[in-house]
Amino acid sequence: MTWSTLEDTRRIAAELRLPSRAFIDGAPAAARSGALFETLNPATGAVLATLPLCGADEVDRAVAAARRSFRDGVWSRATPERRKEVLLRLAGLIRAAAPRLAVMESLESGKPVSDCLKEIGGEVPDFFQWYGEAIDKSYGDVAPTGDAACALIMREPIGVVGAVLPWNFPLLMAAWKLAPALAAGCSVVVKPAEETSLTTLALAELAIEAGLPEGVLNVVTGPGETTGRLIGQHGDIDAVSFTGSTEVGRLFLQYAGSSNLKTVGLEMGGKSPFIVLDDAELTPELIDHAVTAAFWNAGQNCSANMRQIVPRRLQDEYLARIVDRLQSLAPGDPLDPATGMGPMISAGHRRRVQAHLERGRAEGARLVHAGRVDPALAAGSYLAPVVFGDLTAGMSIAREEIFGPVLGTLPVDGMDEALAVANGTEYGLHATVFTRDIDRALHFARRLSCGTVAVNGFTEGDVKTPFGGWGKSGSLARDKGREAMAQYQQVKTVWIGLKTPVDRRAGGAA
Ligand code: NAD
């Protein structure tokens, strides 16, 4: 399989068998009501697939299957070696299916197919492999007691997990949740975003092929207000892991409070800064990182660093270099392996982004660059990169998450102002800082109020490093790293009282 031409990906697209049903108790399932919803291709606006709109009946069936499999112990009490074997096999199956899954994801999300292949051929299976490898190396603790007791601290799977996913990295977000949840021994009911259900459904089929017992992984499809809410309010789900907007994350806390007080892990929005200190050199590498930080995935990225904080004296040069670099980032057909930027997820989302941009202009942000979309792409929900200068911290465009292809500079005078502006938001997901001075780098790393700080390069880390937000960006829960397992485990203390040893040998001391 080569990825050199559009013909290759079009051929795969033409041969794809797209899932058309939910996945409950090890088998494809329709909605008993017969209700359906459509998934559109954002690059063309055409209907791509029709899927069941899962209501209470399907969510109840999925939760019952998950509960049964959890109680039976077919997975929750399977040996660590067995769980490892299945997850490693799943990683291998995903790698083998990556070209097909990448085209499927590109069609439903509008993401460039090269990005999809990089994620689905790399990071996604790596997650199943890493957590699969971790299971038989996870130990509990023995507490420091005196001789009169032995206290064990054990970690057990939390039970039935509901995973509710966003559309911006469909299979990657599924892997971030499912790999540690399954490794921990949980059974899962996952709801992909209604825009991007197909690859998660395909993953469930691969999981069965890998040997995951029926009922352990269920996928219910449908809109958030229906299917997502039913998961949030379900009385027999023990924990929900959610990634999405802060607004909906808030609802999940309410659902838990008004149902069974399930545990809720939240990964939410952001308004992350990219900070260039005055000793940094504006090298092509720095500009590449600045552009990736703001425009990767067309800016539809929770950790998008769209607030770029630069020394006032460097702002004009910085903006000129950014605009120059953007000449090679025009939106294009996501199925073309050469495309670096696809459309917005939907026409509705594009309108929301445009409204943010219009408000920014009305509030006095200086429009520096507005790219253009090739008229041949008019049927899709495309939006070209936009760059603003002279943002001020109070402007809504500098405070609210936009989730689109926009970069804005906030000029500052000195390090203290840079730090104050960087921290001047209610979010706290990510930050990047560029400096050649290690003291300054560590000073910023310590003072920035967020879950991840990247120094001299935009990155979210990898499978080994925890990822999550502070403030309105998240709860204490973390995806990735050893910390992710904690979301899916209960801690149990076993206190064993011991009698003082008695010497049973006649007449002798111990
Ligand atoms: P969203 O909150 O609209 O939807 C996320 C999920 O919640 C979807 O599955 C949706 O169907 C469901 N949902 C929507 N309304 C619901 C309701 N009333 N009740 C229950 N479920 C409901 O978010 P989105 O537009 O899909 O994704 C974009 C958001 O996700 C952005 O805010 C972004 O920052 C965030 N995000 C965060 C991370 C992270 O790790 N922190 C990663 C990716 C995306």
Side-chain angles (χ1 to χ4, degrees):
M1 170 67 230
T2 66
W3 280 87
S4 46
T5 67
L6 182 56
E7 282 66 46
D8 291 332
T9 54
R10 283 197 176 139
R11 196 184 58 247
I12 295 177
E15 290 166 1
L16 275 182
R17 184 185 59 82
L18 296 178
S20 58
R21 288 190 280 170
F23 196 85
I24 299 176
D25 207 3
R32 284 211 178 123
S33 68
L36 298 167
F37 70 98
E38 289 176 340
T39 290
L40 306 183
N41 177 342
T44 63
V47 175
L48 179 65
T50 304
L51 291 164
L53 195 161
C54 292
D57 199 87
E58 290 69 45
V59 173
D60 283 348
R61 277 196 284 146
V63 175
R67 177 61 63 196
R68 190 206 64 236
S69 68
F70 188 76
R71 283 221 181 98
D72 287 354
V74 283
W75 184 250
S76 53
R77 288 196 297 278
T79 61
E81 291 77 11
R82 170 77 187 135
R83 278 193 246 149
K84 171 179 170 175
E85 188 191 325
V86 171
L87 293 186
L88 293 190
R89 208 178 300 137
L90 177 56
L93 289 171
I94 296 168
R95 283 193 189 101
R100 174 173 67 85
L101 293 173
V103 169
M104 197 185 288
E105 179 158 291
S106 180
L107 286 169
E108 65 177 344
S109 67
K111 285 162 68 81
V113 73
S114 302
D115 287 356
C116 296
L117 185 63
K118 203 164 146 215
E119 283 158 26
I120 297 175
E123 216 181 325
V124 170
D126 287 354
F127 267 80
F128 289 97
Q129 180 164 334
W130 196 80
Y131 285 100
E133 292 282 6
I135 313 170
D136 62 352
K137 298 161 196 75
S138 294
Y139 293 80
D141 291 316
V142 178
T145 57
D147 282 351
C150 174
L152 310 177
I153 300 167
M154 310 200 305
R155 288 175 184 82
E156 299 187 356
I158 201 163
V160 174
V161 170
V164 180
L165 308 178
W167 44 258
N168 57 344
F169 292 88
L171 206 52
L172 189 59
M173 291 301 108
W176 280 23
K177 312 266 184 224
L178 297 180
L182 293 175
C186 296
S187 291
V188 186
V189 177
V190 52
K191 191 201 91 62
E194 52 271 42
E195 296 86 350
T196 54
S197 313
L198 300 176
T199 45
T200 306
L201 289 166
L203 176 72
E205 289 188 5
L206 292 181
I208 292 288
E209 194 181 331
L212 193 72
E214 290 172 0
V216 175
L217 175 56
N218 307 274
V219 185
V220 288
T221 49
E225 302 74 32
T226 314
T227 322
R229 182 179 50 76
L230 287 163
I231 289 181
Q233 294 177 333
H234 206 285
D236 203 25
I237 290 182
D238 301 296
V240 161
S241 181
F242 166 79
T243 293
S245 60
T246 301
E247 189 191 355
V248 177
R250 200 188 289 276
L251 289 178
F252 273 95
L253 292 175
Q254 293 171 8
Y255 297 151
S258 61
S259 58
N260 62 342
L261 290 175
K262 57 179 70 62
T263 300
V264 180
L266 302 173
E267 299 283 355
M268 303 179 289
K271 191 72 185 175
S272 301
F274 185 97
I275 309 150
V276 179
L277 296 184
D278 59 7
D279 64 84
E281 238 182 291
L282 299 188
T283 60
E285 291 73 31
L286 185 151
I287 298 300
D288 273 351
H289 279 281
V291 166
T292 304
F295 296 107
W296 178 35
N297 210 32
Q300 301 170 121
N301 178 20
C302 56
S303 64
N305 289 183
M306 81 65 70
R307 287 192 305 139
Q308 307 215 336
I309 299 168
V310 297
R312 192 175 304 279
R313 67 177 177 80
L314 290 181
Q315 179 179 234
D316 286 343
E317 184 188 349
Y318 185 81
L319 284 168
R321 290 191 186 207
I322 295 280
V323 171
D324 188 48
R325 169 67 180 73
L326 285 177
Q327 303 313 317
S328 57
L329 192 65
D333 180 351
L335 275 191
D336 186 338
T339 293
M341 183 188 282
M344 301 285 90
I345 186 69
S346 65
H349 184 58
R350 178 175 60 183
R351 278 195 296 279
R352 279 192 292 279
V353 174
Q354 283 168 328
H356 276 289
L357 303 182
E358 274 155 30
R359 211 157 59 242
R361 292 189 75 169
E363 288 175 358
R366 172 164 61 98
L367 181 66
V368 174
H369 172 78
R372 59 177 283 285
V373 174
D374 183 340
L377 302 172
S381 46
Y382 287 91
L383 194 58
V386 174
V387 178
F388 286 105
D390 292 323
L391 301 193
T392 55
M395 291 177 179
S396 61
I397 196 172
R399 284 185 291 108
E400 295 168 7
E401 185 178 47
I402 298 176
F403 230 55
V406 52
L407 179 160
T409 51
L410 292 106
V412 294
D413 298 302
M415 293 220 315
D416 290 346
E417 190 183 355
L419 189 59
V421 171
N423 281 338
T425 135
E426 294 177 305
Y427 294 105
L429 191 57
H430 186 278
T432 305
V433 56
F434 264 84
T435 173
R436 282 182 293 176
D437 181 333
I438 184 70
D439 294 323
R440 289 172 151 202
L442 277 171
H443 175 74
F444 271 75
R446 289 195 166 126
R447 295 287 184 280
L448 285 163
S449 305
C450 61
T452 298
V453 178
V455 176
N456 289 338
F458 171 76
T459 175
E460 291 182 354
D462 65 16
V463 61
K464 302 182 287 298
T465 54
F467 185 81
W470 296 17
K472 284 192 178 169
S473 292
S475 55
L476 280 179
R478 290 290 179 266
D479 283 326
K480 310 203 294 179
R482 278 183 311 201
E483 286 74 4
M485 293 279 269
Q487 273 200 68
Y488 308 109
Q489 290 174 321
Q490 306 253 34
V491 175
K492 180 183 277 177
T493 296
V494 178
W495 185 279
I496 306 164
L498 300 174
K499 295 212 171 68
T500 311
V502 178
D503 179 16
R504 294 197 176 83
R505 281 179 294 155

